[in-house]
Amino acid sequence: MRNSSLFLRSGLTVAAASALSFLVAAGPAEAQSGISVSTTGSTVSVTTRDCTNVNGSWGTASLLNSRQANFSQGRQVSLSGTSALQSAAWSNVSAGTYTVIVICSDGTTAGTQSVIVSPSVRPTISATATASPSRGVMGGVGGGSQDYGTLTLVGGGLLVGTGVAGAAWYLRRKSSKPFRL
């Protein structure tokens, strides 16, 4: 019985490792679509290498919001570029989720990809001067302004959890013994 559970556990480990290797080998979904979409502020741009020039046109790209269902309803822009790379861009795009579709001039679809445009936060610049304290240390965010990685946060959480578990174990063990003078 003990050997069978050992084989079962090792079999599950091997199955999980092989499934993980297939996921890693699959790669990102955008590599299969034939287009690459990016955002910078309120500008959305798309690039592709799949279109060919037919009668002076590379094709058309369309930006669809969540309420639009087909290519003709979106904001359409003609592709420009060379035989190596074609691109299109939309400016002044409001925040939200959009779908970009590229149709080449020969009628083939180069790809479809979703993109999220984040609201742009414009920094406010204050023209007033603030006085520095003449003594002491200024209070503030301190080390909390640094962005720590996931591994650091998980490690800190494990340390805190271990400390809490150790304290609970110690107090429980201490309270289970009879009190002696």
Side-chain angles (χ1 to χ4, degrees):
M1 181 70 171
R2 183 177 169 109
N3 287 341
S4 64
S5 67
L6 177 65
F7 288 127
L8 177 64
R9 275 190 244 135
S10 63
L12 291 175
T13 304
V14 169
S18 63
L20 180 63
S21 67
F22 284 124
L23 289 175
V24 170
E30 75 177 337
Q32 297 173 352
S33 74
I35 64 173
S36 177
V37 180
S38 62
T39 61
T40 304
S42 65
T43 301
V44 176
S45 59
V46 61
T47 59
T48 185
R49 299 179 191 280
D50 293 350
C51 294
T52 57
N53 192 338
V54 176
N55 296 329
S57 173
W58 294 102
T60 307
S62 183
L63 180 71
L64 287 76
N65 63 28
S66 59
R67 296 178 308 276
Q68 296 169 329
N70 59 34
F71 185 85
S72 62
Q73 293 174 335
R75 288 173 58 184
Q76 296 181 15
V77 176
S78 295
L79 292 174
S80 61
T82 64
S83 59
L85 185 70
Q86 303 86 43
S87 64
W90 300 268
S91 58
N92 298 323
V93 178
S94 59
T97 303
Y98 295 88
T99 302
V100 176
I101 303 172
V102 175
I103 296 182
C104 299
S105 58
D106 62 0
T108 61
T109 302
T112 301
Q113 188 173 337
S114 294
V115 64
I116 297 173
V117 177
S118 300
S120 61
V121 178
R122 297 175 190 236
T124 56
I125 300 173
S126 174
T128 60
T130 57
S132 298
S134 59
R135 295 177 163 184
V137 178
M138 290 181 64
V141 181
S145 65
Q146 185 174 356
D147 185 22
Y148 292 101
T150 305
L151 185 63
T152 304
L153 295 175
V154 169
L158 287 174
L159 287 173
V160 170
T162 304
V164 168
W169 174 78
Y170 176 77
L171 291 174
R172 183 170 182 259
R173 188 159 183 228
K174 186 175 179 181
S175 66
S176 66
K177 293 182 181 179
F179 181 69
R180 295 187 187 162
L181 291 174

